[in-house]
Amino acid sequence: MSIGLQRLRDDADRVRQGAIDKGEDPSVVDAALRLDARRRSLLGEGDALRAERNALSKRIGDAIRGGASPQGDEVAALRRSSTGAGERIAAIDAELVAVEAELEDALLRIPNPADPDVPVGGEDDSVIVRTWGEPARHEESTGGGADGSGPWVRRPHWEVGEALGMLDLPAGAKIAGSGFPVYRGTGAALERALIDWFIGVHTREHGMTEIWPPALVNTASARGTGQIPDKEDLMYAVTRDELYLVPTAEVPVTNLHRDEIIEADRLPIRYCAYTPCFRREAGAAGKDTRGILRVHQFDKVEMVLFERPDASGAALEWLTRAAETLLQRLGLAYRVKLMATGDMGFVQAKKYDLEVWAPGVERWLEVSSVSNFRDYQARRMNIRWRPEPGGRPEILHTLNGSGLALARTFAAILEVCQQPDGSVVVPRVLRPFLGERIGPASPAAAARPTD
């Protein structure tokens, strides 16, 4: 289950309003309450009948020991009553199995209510909580042109990438279809450098343990993190083997501790992992179809945390800052948005989006989502922690965040760091991997470093 039954019983109005705030059907809350009431009624009736059957068995034994004939009317009547109770118990048990299955399904379809400080509404109601850096201009008034004068307009990333032999989108479409980019030469090297550098910062500076997980997960893993049933249609399914291609490393990494009890001295547990990510839905028809802003396959480094419940709020802020560190060192201007209820997702209690400014397309691009799920995922996966040795286990909290998603980070680097001569100046932190520049050099470009 995702929503605890006790929480559902005690705070049904809050859970129901939480569904409404996220644009989900609140009737599933009432359905779950009805099923829970029926389940408890059946359990009570079954327990009473079992007690009655036990009492009848004792009376039969007492009657026979008292001299009654085993074939006599008194014993026969008691046996008929016992048989009737047994038949009713069997019927109750069968109905209970069906009711519990329906209840479990209903609970999985109730969204995680947002935290009280999350703004209610849709995309326009999300709040920008801070910004960093000065967004690069789309059109530069000086230093442009082949002769070093006149206006210079930044090109979108796909033009820069194709001109420098870094992106081959037609080849990807030929191999797999649209939304599956091919990175060539320095494009492939840039992807690899970003992955290596992200992982290095997280492990050396943020104390995370690197995980290299499978790229396929089973149904239990997808259900545990909330992809099923909420996002099942967005995943690529290997139907023959009942497996799914990972939509994000969150799924396999969070499931590392499914059905485990974690001792208090092990918390917090902090992981990072790289995986290719696969998503069937790549945006609305006709939107962001050029370039690599919305694709079916992309690379991403994910951060996953397991935390004590009283520390998860602070952990969300820490995790967000960890992602921001990467953007600052890359020199990419960004903003942090607190997402409104209708734009934050089914399973999140609170979520920040980090968006970088891409001057070639003149848009803010989401490169990271950082989320606190509180006990929602852990309850589904039965991940618990023991506050003290020998104590009763409790559900812990899970969090995750992109650190970072590469396709849009790649695009932003090409658009921010491009030069009038067509070259791209490499951000300083990536120069040990790639050198100082990608593409032709010129005095005008050399005079205008962007990092």
Side-chain angles (χ1 to χ4, degrees):
M1 65 184 69
S2 303
I3 295 292
L5 277 174
Q6 198 59 50
R7 181 182 185 185
L8 181 66
R9 297 164 188 161
D10 295 343
D11 203 7
D13 289 341
R14 174 72 186 91
V15 176
R16 191 181 294 108
Q17 186 61 49
I20 294 171
D21 292 344
K22 287 192 171 184
E24 301 290 341
D25 184 1
S27 66
V28 69
V29 177
D30 298 306
L33 287 168
R34 288 193 298 270
L35 289 163
D36 179 44
R38 181 57 180 161
R39 172 182 173 272
R40 286 190 285 172
S41 174
L42 289 169
L43 287 170
E45 185 179 355
D47 288 344
L49 284 168
R50 286 181 176 87
E52 178 184 339
R53 185 174 61 178
N54 291 339
L56 287 167
S57 296
K58 184 177 184 303
R59 288 175 62 188
I60 291 169
D62 289 345
I64 293 173
R65 284 191 295 271
S69 170
Q71 286 77 38
D73 292 344
E74 179 186 0
V75 173
L78 291 171
R79 283 177 172 159
R80 284 195 298 272
S81 296
S82 179
T83 299
E87 291 173 348
R88 177 59 186 148
I89 289 170
I92 287 173
D93 288 346
E95 184 180 355
L96 189 60
V97 169
V99 168
E100 288 181 336
E102 289 184 59
L103 176 58
E104 178 66 19
D105 181 69
L107 291 171
L108 290 175
R109 296 180 186 279
I110 297 174
N112 194 7
D115 284 356
D117 61 338
V118 171
V120 176
E123 182 178 358
D124 294 339
D125 298 293
S126 296
V127 176
I128 299 172
V129 296
R130 60 181 170 272
T131 62
W132 185 91
E134 184 67 29
R137 294 186 297 272
H138 177 63
E139 182 174 327
E140 300 283 356
S141 58
T142 58
D147 60 356
S149 62
W152 168 55
V153 177
R154 294 178 188 270
R155 294 182 294 168
H157 63 276
W158 59 85
E159 291 185 9
V160 178
E162 289 172 1
L164 294 175
M166 302 173 72
L167 283 174
D168 192 343
L169 301 181
K174 177 174 67 175
I175 295 167
S178 63
F180 293 90
V182 167
Y183 298 87
R184 285 183 178 272
T186 50
L190 177 56
E191 282 282 292
R192 185 160 37 85
L194 285 167
I195 293 166
D196 194 6
W197 181 65
F198 290 164
I199 292 288
V201 172
H202 292 321
T203 55
R204 290 191 299 268
E205 300 182 27
H206 300 150
M208 299 181 186
T209 299
E210 182 180 2
I211 301 294
W212 197 279
L216 291 162
V217 294
N218 56 29
T219 302
S221 295
R223 183 181 293 112
T225 51
Q227 270 65 35
I228 293 177
D230 180 51
K231 293 182 173 64
E232 186 170 6
D233 291 342
L234 304 185
M235 291 191 293
Y236 283 97
V238 184
T239 54
R240 181 173 179 178
D241 299 300
E242 297 183 355
L243 296 170
Y244 296 89
L245 289 170
V246 296
T248 166
E250 165 199 346
V251 181
V253 175
T254 310
N255 274 276
L256 285 173
H257 295 295
R258 188 173 76 228
D259 294 320
E260 290 186 10
I261 298 174
I262 299 171
E263 299 300 327
D265 60 2
R266 293 184 60 194
L267 296 176
I269 295 175
R270 297 170 175 172
Y271 292 132
C272 64
Y274 157 73
T275 60
C277 304
F278 304 87
R279 297 181 185 176
R280 294 182 64 245
E281 190 273 335
K287 182 180 180 182
D288 297 333
T289 55
R290 300 200 67 182
I292 54 174
L293 301 187
R294 287 185 179 270
V295 289
H296 293 297
Q297 178 180 339
F298 60 98
D299 296 307
K300 182 154 68 86
V301 172
E302 190 78 0
M303 307 175 290
V304 176
L305 268 61
F306 299 83
E307 265 289 2
R308 303 166 183 257
D310 62 358
S312 69
L316 177 66
E317 305 303 321
W318 179 87
L319 200 60
T320 304
R321 294 291 187 183
E324 290 181 70
T325 296
L326 303 176
L327 294 175
Q328 291 173 10
R329 294 184 188 176
L330 288 171
L332 300 177
Y334 68 88
R335 62 187 187 183
V336 180
K337 292 175 67 176
L338 174 59
M339 306 307 291
T341 55
D343 201 38
M344 68 184 298
F346 190 88
V347 297
Q348 291 88 351
K350 186 174 182 178
K351 183 176 82 164
Y352 292 114
D353 273 5
L354 275 61
E355 299 177 337
V356 298
W357 176 249
V361 294
E362 296 186 282
R363 285 187 49 200
W364 292 98
L365 306 178
E366 176 203 325
V367 295
S368 177
S369 290
V370 188
S371 304
N372 188 352
F373 304 97
R374 298 208 178 272
D375 64 353
Y376 192 85
Q377 287 184 332
R379 195 175 296 279
R380 294 170 83 115
M381 288 180 276
N382 191 33
I383 307 174
R384 295 173 291 168
W385 72 297
R386 201 186 307 276
E388 56 187 29
R392 181 180 179 181
E394 300 175 5
I395 299 293
L396 51 66
H397 285 190
T398 63
L399 306 92
N400 69 42
S402 316
L404 300 162
L406 272 81
R408 293 176 182 177
T409 302
F410 183 105
I413 289 172
L414 295 192
E415 296 191 6
V416 170
C417 299
Q418 64 180 279
Q419 303 298 309
D421 69 343
S423 67
V424 171
V425 170
V426 177
R428 190 175 302 278
V429 292
L430 299 179
R431 290 178 184 176
F433 304 92
L434 298 164
E436 294 187 6
R437 185 181 303 273
I438 299 171
S442 73
R448 300 180 66 255
T450 61
D451 60 89

